[in-house]
Amino acid sequence: MSLTPRFPVFLHGGDYNPDQWLKYPDVLEEDVRLMKKAKVNCVSLGIFAWAALEPEEGRYEFGWMDAVIDRLWKAGIRVDLATPSGARPAWMAQKYPEVLRVDDRFQRRHFGGRHNHCPSSPVYREKVRAIDTALAERYAKHPGVILWHISNEFSGDCYCPLCQEKWRAWLREKYGTLEALNDRWWTGFWSMAYTDWSQIEPPSPVGQDANPAMWVDWRRFSTHQCKDFILMEKEAVHSVCPEIPVTANLMQRFFDYDYFDLSEALDVVSWDSYPGWGLDDVKAASEHAMTHDLMRSFKDRPFLLMESTPSLVNWQEVNRVKRPGMHLLSSMLPLAHGSQSVMYFQWRKGRGGSEMFHGAVVGHDGTADTRVFKEVRQVGEALEKLAPLYGAPQEKPRVCILYDYSCLWALHYAQMGSEAVKDYPETVNAWYRALWKMGVAVDFRDMREETDLSGYALVIAPTLFMFRGGIEEKLRRFTEQGGTLAATYGCGVIDGDGRAFLSLTPHALTDVFGAVTEELDVLYPSQSNAMIMDGREWPVTGVCEVIRTEDAEVLGTYRDDFYAGRPCLTRNRFGKGEAWYLAARTDEAALTALLDGICRSLGIPRALSVPLPEGVVARDRGGCVFLQNYSGREQTVTLPDPRTDLLTGASLSGEITLPVCGVMALARG
Ligand code: GLA
Ligand code: ZN
């Protein structure tokens, strides 16, 4: 099933803000002409347009939007129509200050900026519901409207009295009794025990900031608040017309909400990807490739790239422009990983406002005569040529990496170790990156009850500090039945409530690993150790866990310190499968050697079966291999079989040359 059934093609376009240009009718006409030229087929309309749609309370102005949508429709350009809840008009903030958010120091914010609303406020909910319903009544039947863009980049928490009430109600529902809450939050520590529900405030830097279990619950509650708000908006538009799918644009390395959970409220996952190109392009690409795979994994279906920049951003410390060719290359990265679109922020640069210098398809000169515009058009052409891939079935990855938001939060809030142990996304990315460079496809799963690991050959559990949702049982069964499990230091230390297991660790899996952890040592950044494996030394930095083996085979040992000679890498046969345990933080070369061996022995397929130069990666999508060069140098690759580059139509075989930023979409034959 297509993500956008009314328009089942790769989408190309971006955020379009005609509400900023209503006094420039020529510009609005010109926009459509230029969009055609740039091969734009869809725009995200009205994302922050509330003040233009409802200039005073209860008076809707839809005339301008009617004209825009019709003009676009006549030109064959579809609309991803936004609900405007991401920013609110000044009159509303003035008349109903309760719509504004209260920050973590319990201070009500003032009007301004965006993303500054309280999710509980009955007035805000009523206003949002009313305008969403009015938009749906007016536009949902329009054949040009293909998707709902709910609000914009939901984030953050609200500490207002209403949200606090909801927090307490949520806790009551979860724990039932105060006794249970005190027990799970271990409030005997520092005299933290609560004797009445009304005493419980949210965790805060000016209040209770020293209880990690409470913080993790607060993040779960905040996820629930955001999800509930999305569901309210979804219900508003779907009660008028259920036909148009709903999305909300998610973000990179996001911390505030559990995206696996939040995605349940969405029909379609979409996200905003802004790699910082020009410093370490391989690292940047690997991080964003990982997030593309995460986004695909949330609902186990393709996703949309909702935003990316055609050129530069304006919010990094150093805002470099993309080098020639990087726009096509970086736009093919999401495609390779399952995106059904390449969309931008933004179509046209505003004349003012904080984002007036952010990259856009059309700059302040208003012409098509720029390098950026031409490279955007090139992406539009590429998407047309790739049309055969749109519905092509994708083979299921055989490798699964566990990535869990509760585990992310638990590691973040735990006062222990060092950054090296606690930087969970970086640890996960290190494992991911090694596989990505090998061309091995990966799914992500979290620890929810529904998670099913049975279809995978290899499950990787990097720093799975928390165990919840019965994961220990699943990992045991998975291994017993023939799966290969690979875990690292810091595994199975606390339960889903955040309390330490009163057991040997990895909790309930020491027989599976044939090993027991004893101490978690961390190194200063200037220090290092090494793992001795196959007579070679592999650098170790940051984390050295001291373990002892019971039945496991020792494959690597520490070189230095009081644990010199003790196990660092172990393997244990368990049932029909095997479980690996890597106790230290090694570099990429060691992870690559380890994963290369495991993947070979399991016969896990790679996108291309030939060695690839550093910085050149291959990714299979529906039988077509996206060969991408992030190395910053010209590179050669020897193809194992004859291929056709869908982007150029060229037939290729044997040794081929990839230019700097080169990308090819290699179909068989
Ligand atoms: C985000 C927002 C956009 C814009 C861009 C700038 O992704 O959703 O509105 O601010 O960042 O990069
Ligand atoms: Zn609130």
Side-chain angles (χ1 to χ4, degrees):
M1 239 281 271
S2 159
L3 300 181
T4 49
R6 283 188 180 177
F7 193 50
V9 303
F10 287 127
L11 306 178
H12 186 227
D15 281 26
Y16 182 38
N17 305 104
D19 42 307
Q20 292 175 25
W21 295 93
L22 296 178
K23 292 200 190 105
Y24 299 73
D26 297 352
V27 168
L28 297 181
E29 291 287 340
E30 182 65 355
D31 276 338
V32 176
R33 195 185 68 82
L34 289 174
M35 283 175 192
K36 292 305 290 176
K37 201 160 187 184
K39 296 204 166 278
V40 161
N41 62 13
C42 177
V43 295
S44 303
L45 180 66
I47 293 179
F48 298 112
W50 203 335
L53 291 169
E54 192 179 357
E56 58 187 37
E57 188 167 11
R59 181 168 67 78
Y60 293 142
E61 287 273 2
F62 288 143
W64 66 268
M65 193 174 256
D66 295 351
V68 169
I69 292 180
D70 279 339
R71 201 179 301 121
L72 291 166
W73 174 243
K74 282 196 195 108
I77 299 164
R78 308 307 204 273
V79 171
D80 162 30
L81 188 57
T83 66
S85 61
R88 59 226 52 73
W91 61 257
M92 191 188 296
Q94 185 178 41
K95 183 163 178 196
Y96 309 104
E98 64 154 280
V99 304
L100 299 174
R101 189 168 284 190
V102 171
D103 68 19
D104 63 1
R105 297 181 168 257
F106 303 94
Q107 297 227 344
R108 177 82 61 187
R109 287 181 53 185
H110 289 230
F111 173 69
R114 55 174 177 174
H115 304 166
N116 171 20
H117 73 267
C118 163
S120 304
S121 157
V123 178
Y124 197 55
R125 285 179 162 242
E126 182 198 311
K127 296 286 177 203
V128 170
R129 178 179 284 279
I131 196 156
D132 287 5
T133 308
L135 282 167
E137 280 167 349
R138 197 160 181 108
Y139 300 114
K141 291 273 172 337
H142 196 298
V145 176
I146 61 164
L147 184 68
W148 285 109
H149 186 294
I150 300 293
S151 205
N152 192 72
E153 290 193 340
F154 283 104
S155 65
D157 322 309
C158 178
Y159 283 66
C160 80
L162 289 169
C163 288
Q164 289 199 41
E165 265 320 305
K166 294 209 164 169
W167 160 237
R168 287 184 280 271
W170 185 86
L171 290 171
R172 256 192 147 120
E173 163 91 25
K174 174 167 181 182
Y175 291 110
T177 65
L178 258 189
E179 198 190 346
L181 175 141
N182 279 316
D183 177 48
R184 303 302 158 76
W185 284 5
W186 201 252
T187 57
F189 177 75
W190 285 358
S191 236
M192 285 176 180
Y194 295 101
T195 53
D196 194 276
W197 291 98
S198 63
Q199 294 159 355
I200 306 175
E201 292 184 332
S204 148
V206 295
Q208 185 57 279
D209 71 344
N211 191 329
M214 181 189 200
W215 271 113
V216 170
D217 264 346
W218 175 248
R219 298 258 54 85
R220 290 168 174 156
F221 165 72
S222 220
T223 302
H224 160 81
Q225 285 282 86
C226 180
K227 189 174 178 185
D228 193 60
F229 194 86
I230 293 175
L231 287 171
M232 179 274 293
E233 291 213 58
K234 184 181 185 184
E235 208 268 323
V237 295
H238 276 180
S239 63
V240 176
C241 170
E243 210 180 289
I244 303 176
V246 156
T247 192
N249 47 342
L250 310 182
M251 289 176 267
Q252 163 76 0
R253 279 218 176 186
F254 192 64
F255 182 81
D256 301 357
Y257 313 138
D258 179 337
Y259 272 167
F260 275 100
D261 186 358
L262 200 74
S263 300
E264 289 174 359
L266 307 173
D267 300 316
V268 172
V269 165
S270 66
W271 82 287
D272 304 340
S273 173
Y274 292 100
W277 301 116
L279 197 56
D280 182 345
D281 288 347
V282 180
K283 173 95 171 67
S286 82
E287 266 204 39
H288 284 254
M290 168 170 146
T291 313
H292 292 311
D293 280 334
L294 254 177
M295 296 287 159
R296 183 181 46 73
S297 296
F298 293 146
K299 294 189 87 65
D300 209 7
R301 63 187 300 220
F303 59 93
L304 296 175
L305 179 73
M306 187 54 83
E307 293 179 24
S308 59
T309 179
S311 165
L312 43 63
V313 296
N314 69 331
W315 43 262
Q316 271 160 358
E317 236 168 89
V318 176
N319 299 294
R320 294 211 71 178
V321 300
K322 286 182 180 174
R323 319 324 289 165
M326 182 47 103
H327 185 54
L328 180 65
L329 173 61
S330 63
S331 298
M332 292 302 105
L333 178 64
L335 254 278
H337 288 262
S339 178
Q340 302 292 61
S341 67
V342 176
M343 307 276 282
Y344 311 119
F345 179 85
Q346 51 192 335
W347 165 250
R348 182 188 280 274
K349 281 185 186 174
R351 279 198 83 175
S354 67
E355 291 184 327
M356 63 193 286
F357 298 116
H358 190 289
V361 182
V362 180
H364 292 133
D365 64 328
T367 74
D369 203 17
T370 60
R371 180 175 74 89
V372 170
F373 191 97
K374 287 173 197 155
E375 294 199 28
V376 165
R377 183 186 159 87
Q378 206 189 347
V379 170
E381 286 164 352
L383 291 174
E384 288 176 358
K385 293 180 189 144
L386 294 173
L389 296 183
Y390 184 80
Q394 184 65 39
E395 251 183 60
K396 192 165 169 50
R398 302 203 46 222
V399 179
C400 170
I401 300 182
L402 292 173
Y403 186 87
D404 187 274
Y405 283 86
S406 282
C407 186
L408 165 77
W409 299 328
L411 277 164
H412 175 84
Y413 292 119
Q415 285 194 28
M416 58 102 179
S418 68
E419 248 334 88
V421 198
K422 286 157 56 97
D423 193 352
Y424 182 62
E426 183 52 43
T427 307
V428 174
N429 187 242
W431 285 82
Y432 177 85
R433 192 162 56 234
L435 291 162
W436 176 70
K437 287 185 176 176
M438 286 177 215
V440 170
V442 168
D443 272 346
F444 287 94
R445 290 288 178 267
D446 74 346
M447 290 191 272
R448 67 197 38 235
E449 305 280 342
E450 305 91 281
T451 293
D452 177 10
L453 301 174
S454 58
Y456 299 106
L458 170 63
V459 170
I460 301 174
T463 325
L464 204 64
F465 185 60
M466 174 184 276
F467 277 0
R468 66 182 190 99
I471 195 71
E472 55 273 49
E473 262 319 299
K474 288 180 195 172
L475 293 175
R476 165 181 297 276
R477 222 174 317 125
F478 169 77
T479 313
E480 206 162 39
Q481 292 174 355
T484 298
L485 170 65
T488 71
Y489 51 84
C491 184
V493 178
I494 61 171
D495 67 19
D497 294 315
R499 297 179 307 181
F501 286 117
L502 299 180
S503 69
L504 298 175
T505 63
H507 174 70
L509 293 179
T510 53
D511 59 334
V512 174
F513 289 107
V516 175
T517 64
E518 291 186 348
E519 295 181 78
L520 183 68
D521 193 19
V522 291
L523 307 184
Y524 288 103
S526 59
Q527 299 176 326
S528 62
N529 198 325
M531 173 168 75
I532 315 283
M533 178 172 74
D534 299 334
R536 243 183 92 175
E537 286 193 5
W538 305 80
V540 163
T541 53
V543 190
C544 298
E545 199 178 48
V546 185
I547 63 174
R548 69 165 185 270
T549 48
E550 298 198 320
D551 305 315
E553 195 185 334
V554 177
L555 300 172
T557 53
Y558 285 111
R559 184 192 62 194
D560 303 330
D561 222 312
F562 72 88
Y563 33 81
R566 306 251 328 238
C568 180
L569 175 68
T570 62
R571 178 177 57 187
N572 192 44
R573 303 205 188 275
F574 185 79
K576 294 192 196 128
E578 58 185 36
W580 295 70
Y581 196 84
L582 180 59
R585 189 176 233 219
T586 55
D587 68 358
E588 190 175 306
L591 290 182
T592 302
L594 175 63
L595 286 167
D596 183 61
I598 294 178
C599 290
R600 275 181 207 286
S601 73
L602 296 174
I604 291 172
R606 304 178 189 210
L608 275 186
S609 55
V610 293
L612 297 172
E614 173 65 20
V616 173
V617 289
R619 167 81 186 191
D620 182 294
R621 172 173 176 160
C624 171
V625 173
F626 285 81
L627 192 62
Q628 309 150 65
N629 181 7
Y630 296 100
S631 70
R633 281 194 308 269
E634 188 179 281
Q635 300 283 8
T636 55
V637 172
T638 306
L639 294 179
D641 45 39
R643 298 267 171 165
T644 304
D645 181 3
L646 295 180
L647 298 175
T648 59
S651 300
L652 301 166
S653 59
E655 189 176 287
I656 56 165
T657 303
L658 275 165
V660 175
C661 289
V663 55
M664 295 174 175
L666 302 171
R668 276 185 196 283

